[in-house]
Amino acid sequence: MIRAFDAFSLPLLRWFDPEDAHRMAIQGLKLLPPIRQRPDDPKLAVRAFGLNFPNPIGMAAGFDKSAEVPDALLRLGFGFVEIGSVTPKPQGGNPRPRLFRLERDEAVINRMGFNNDGAEAVLRRLAARASAGGIVGVNVGANKDSPDRAADYVKLIETFAPVASYFTVNVSSPNTPGLRNLQQSAALDDLLARVIDTRERVRKNAGDSPVLLKIAPDLSLAELDDVVHIARSRRVDGMIVANTTLARPSTLREENRAKEQGGLSGRPLFRLSTRMVAETYVRVEGAFPLIGVGGIDSGGAALTKIRAGASLIQLYSSLVYKGLGLVDDIKRDLSSTLLRTGRDSLSEIVGADAATITAEDWPVR
């Protein structure tokens, strides 16, 4: 059924403006009939952040910004879904056009600007599906006009703790002016201190809420040193590496489209984001797991990201070009790799190539 959906939808959606196509995809998923997904290979199960993931493949934040279709995505085979970014107040985001396909590069540029329906509407949807099960994380961000952005994150932790499987503190979107400044040492330390304190304060009534930090791939290694030190000292539960990049690799073929402002994602981000996973992995020293995201468009790419240090992975841009069937393709390839190498779980290969990758020449930006 998924293959049939891809065969029909992918060519059709290419005829539309990317943001209109995205809206149509969300509406299509709302209409998708219930699907009985076949059970995942038990060897693909992952234990991370105190949660049991049936497989390591997640839908990255940005696709289902306002929690409209998390259960449809879980039924399609994702091991987990991350909704958002959610802000306290509804937000329209930046002016359109703000989403661009780089077809020949299998890439996307976006400058969406945290457009979402706001915390109240998203909470209502997540509360309505709370008994459905499955791992649904909430990616939280600050309103563009907020006078105290750290207070926005605190408010969102308080709001969503009863219904979020985990939180992602997003300080790495390039599309909200000044947001990435929250990755600077003093600001990040203050933010994480307030977020973790809030999580502990609501734990009694809301239960455990793992907190992850999502970083940009454009950090220098010195900046990464500081970020990892603060994340470890504040005892976050994990990190997501990495968000979109402001870099424009010289290898991009869609030269005119590449001039658009915003974050670049998709295949051209793969080498940089994978290098950042490896660099983060060696600095974390096993203190917490990582989620690797950026340019994963095949089983081989997923395996590379895992061997670089990712316990879990996330997709988004590659689905624009490969369709939802990619999820099953990756799971099948990972299962085959484990069978062929005689391993019982993916945890046995997490970070196996990290040291080697960090010794290579830096990816061309």
Side-chain angles (χ1 to χ4, degrees):
M1 184 174 185
I2 293 173
R3 300 293 179 187
F5 181 80
D6 284 344
F8 170 76
S9 64
L10 288 179
L12 175 66
L13 293 176
R14 292 283 176 75
W15 285 96
F16 292 90
D17 167 84
E19 189 166 348
D20 291 338
H22 175 260
R23 190 68 237 162
M24 292 170 66
I26 293 286
Q27 294 302 121
L29 288 171
K30 287 182 179 180
L31 299 173
L32 204 64
I35 299 171
R36 185 180 293 276
Q37 181 71 18
R38 63 177 178 271
D40 286 318
D41 180 348
K43 290 185 177 183
L44 295 183
V46 175
R47 173 79 176 171
F49 324 123
L51 301 171
N52 294 314
F53 297 79
N55 71 69
I57 306 170
M59 173 60 90
F63 179 80
D64 190 8
K65 291 176 177 290
S66 297
E68 296 179 82
V69 291
D71 293 304
L73 293 169
L74 291 170
R75 290 196 301 269
L76 288 169
F78 286 96
F80 62 109
V81 172
E82 187 171 311
I83 63 98
S85 294
V86 183
T87 54
K89 296 184 294 185
Q91 188 161 274
N94 294 320
R96 294 181 63 169
R98 54 192 180 177
L99 185 63
F100 308 90
R101 301 187 197 101
L102 283 66
E103 298 269 358
R104 291 185 294 167
D105 300 298
E106 294 193 14
V108 173
I109 290 174
N110 93 83
R111 51 172 181 265
M112 303 299 287
F114 283 174
N115 57 305
N116 72 103
D117 292 345
E120 184 178 340
V122 174
L123 176 63
R124 197 162 52 242
R125 292 174 187 139
L126 291 179
R129 55 88 48 206
S131 62
I135 296 175
V136 179
V138 179
N139 184 301
V140 293
N143 280 116
K144 182 178 180 179
D145 61 355
S146 174
D148 183 351
R149 287 180 169 172
D152 280 10
Y153 291 91
V154 166
K155 181 177 181 179
L156 292 166
I157 300 295
E158 292 172 339
T159 299
F160 288 105
V163 295
S165 300
Y166 67 87
F167 285 103
T168 297
V169 177
N170 186 357
V171 293
S172 51
S173 169
N175 301 316
T176 296
L179 188 79
R180 285 190 171 189
N181 293 339
L182 291 174
Q183 294 177 122
Q184 295 174 1
S185 296
L188 181 63
D189 189 53
D190 176 67
L191 172 64
L192 291 181
R194 293 173 68 177
V195 164
I196 296 298
D197 178 67
T198 303
R199 188 270 303 276
E200 295 305 310
R201 179 162 44 81
V202 301
R203 184 194 294 268
K204 182 177 180 181
N205 294 323
D208 289 334
S209 302
V211 171
L212 316 183
L213 175 67
K214 187 168 186 176
I215 63 170
D218 303 322
L219 295 174
S220 69
L221 293 184
E223 290 169 331
L224 182 63
D225 287 339
D226 290 341
V227 167
V228 171
H229 172 73
I230 292 165
R232 292 180 64 172
S233 66
R234 290 300 176 187
R235 298 185 179 277
V236 302
D237 298 283
M239 289 174 60
I240 300 182
V241 187
N243 214 315
T244 59
T245 180
L246 289 172
R248 296 293 185 267
S250 59
T251 53
L252 291 176
R253 300 165 70 188
E254 300 273 8
E255 295 181 9
N256 289 333
R257 194 57 58 82
K259 296 175 184 176
E260 294 288 350
Q261 292 184 333
L264 174 73
S265 60
R267 179 173 284 184
L269 181 56
F270 180 74
R271 288 194 65 207
L272 175 60
S273 61
T274 302
R275 177 61 177 264
M276 290 299 286
V277 167
E279 295 285 356
T280 305
Y281 180 83
V282 299
R283 286 163 172 76
V284 167
E285 299 177 309
F288 46 69
L290 307 179
I291 298 179
V293 56
I296 300 171
D297 60 3
S298 67
L303 184 64
T304 298
K305 198 78 77 175
I306 292 167
R307 292 182 68 90
S311 295
L312 300 159
I313 60 173
Q314 289 179 326
L315 315 174
Y316 180 7
S317 297
S318 58
L319 300 172
V320 174
Y321 299 100
K322 299 292 181 69
L324 290 164
L326 177 62
V327 178
D328 276 343
D329 290 345
I330 292 176
K331 288 194 285 188
R332 185 169 54 249
D333 286 351
L334 293 178
S335 291
S336 297
T337 297
L338 292 176
L339 181 63
R340 186 176 66 253
T341 58
R343 292 184 168 92
D344 292 324
S345 75
L346 291 169
S347 64
E348 297 178 40
I349 57 173
V350 171
D353 295 338
T356 302
I357 292 171
T358 59
E360 296 173 351
D361 290 338
W362 196 263
V364 177
R365 290 182 187 248

